[in-house]
Amino acid sequence: MTQAPFPPQLTVLTGASRGMGLAMAGQLLQPGHTLLCISRQTSDTLALQAQSTGATLVQWSQDLTQGEAASARLAQWLAGQAAQHFTSATLINNAGMIPRIGPLREADAPDLAQALRVGLEAPMLLTAAFLRATQGWSATRKVLNISSGLGRRAMASQAGYCAAKAGLDHFTRCLALEEAQKPGGARVCALAPGVIDTDMQVQLRGADATAFPDQARFAALQSGGLLSSPAEAATQVLAFLARADFGSQPVADVRD
């Protein structure tokens, strides 16, 4: 029995070179799909997988601290796509970084600025470019912003990361109100993916406990086996994205 072809979908994914982003990219490489990955580094593994699955993979080595350049490049690339070919077009803002862990008074200014640019400024600029470029498309359009429980719960020595994720949540709420007023507006959601065993978790549990009061809690998450693998988290996030009611809640948690 011949398997039905996958409907052609377009996905733009940031932070695809490692962790959950890399796992999501691998799962998105389905026959007939087009995936644009925007990361600091490209992946030979993804390139080989794309060849074997029949997916179209485009990889950009792009510094997301330069959000204006990234968004302009995205707008130009989308303008060159055959819009009528795709049944859906999705932007997943996954890239993020934790600035130096410690009290804000001890923050390194360039490090903090970089984290805010990657975690908040770039997603806003890329989303604006994506929505402008696709506003005439008939495809279902979605924006998924990967948030965090720390955007909704304050934590000492994490002001930069918490602020970026809280800003991500709130700009998504604003965006949902805007898109709801437009016929065929995009469906949007800021989604917390749960606690995942990634490089960020290594940073948190390896931090100096005298500078980070919650260090022991993050260490206990690992020792207690409470962390999801990147692949498991990616599966959950993409299943949430595929739900018929995606976007009904502009801010959500994959565990709800």
Side-chain angles (χ1 to χ4, degrees):
M1 184 175 180
T2 303
Q3 187 177 14
F6 287 88
Q9 300 176 11
L10 169 66
T11 305
V12 179
L13 171 65
T14 69
S17 62
R18 60 183 182 175
M20 188 180 73
L22 180 61
M24 282 195 290
Q27 294 178 28
L28 286 165
L29 287 174
Q30 301 291 345
H33 288 194
T34 297
L35 175 64
L36 167 61
C37 293
I38 306 175
S39 308
R40 285 190 176 182
Q41 298 178 331
T42 59
S43 167
D44 292 339
T45 300
L46 289 178
L48 290 172
Q49 185 177 343
Q51 290 177 7
S52 66
T53 60
T56 298
L57 174 67
V58 180
Q59 298 190 82
W60 292 351
S61 178
Q62 180 77 48
D63 183 356
L64 287 175
T65 63
Q66 306 299 316
E68 289 184 68
S71 63
R73 187 179 183 186
L74 177 62
Q76 183 178 32
W77 184 82
L78 287 169
Q81 300 306 302
Q84 70 279 3
H85 174 70
F86 300 107
T87 59
S88 70
T90 301
L91 169 64
I92 304 176
N93 285 307
N94 169 69
M97 61 177 293
I98 295 179
R100 180 181 177 276
I101 299 170
L104 187 64
R105 64 181 177 272
E106 298 175 4
D108 176 75
D111 177 58
L112 180 59
Q114 183 179 41
L116 292 171
R117 290 188 184 115
V118 172
L120 181 57
E121 182 179 277
M124 294 187 74
L125 291 168
L126 290 170
T127 299
F130 173 80
L131 293 176
R132 276 195 304 270
T134 61
Q135 60 184 336
W137 293 23
S138 60
T140 299
R141 296 178 303 142
K142 300 179 183 179
V143 176
L144 172 60
N145 291 324
I146 301 299
S147 185
S148 169
L150 291 185
R152 303 154 202 182
R153 173 178 175 265
M155 182 171 286
S157 299
Q158 283 290 290
Y161 187 75
C162 289
K165 292 303 184 183
L168 196 73
D169 285 352
H170 213 48
F171 111 69
T172 306
R173 292 185 182 99
C174 296
L175 183 60
L177 293 173
E178 295 168 4
E179 292 299 304
Q181 298 175 27
K182 296 171 60 69
R187 290 187 275 164
V188 302
C189 180
L191 181 69
V195 285
I196 310 165
D197 197 5
T198 62
D199 290 345
M200 285 189 180
Q201 285 288 326
V202 174
Q203 284 181 262
L204 291 166
R205 62 178 178 259
D208 180 357
T210 61
F212 183 35
D214 287 275
Q215 183 271 343
R217 187 173 77 84
F218 284 94
L221 289 173
Q222 184 201 34
S223 62
L226 300 176
L227 299 175
S228 299
S229 72
E232 291 168 340
T235 299
Q236 286 186 302
V237 167
L238 293 178
F240 192 99
L241 177 65
R243 284 169 41 166
D245 65 346
F246 176 83
S248 60
Q249 293 179 282
V251 174
D253 192 305
V254 76
R255 295 164 289 190
D256 293 339

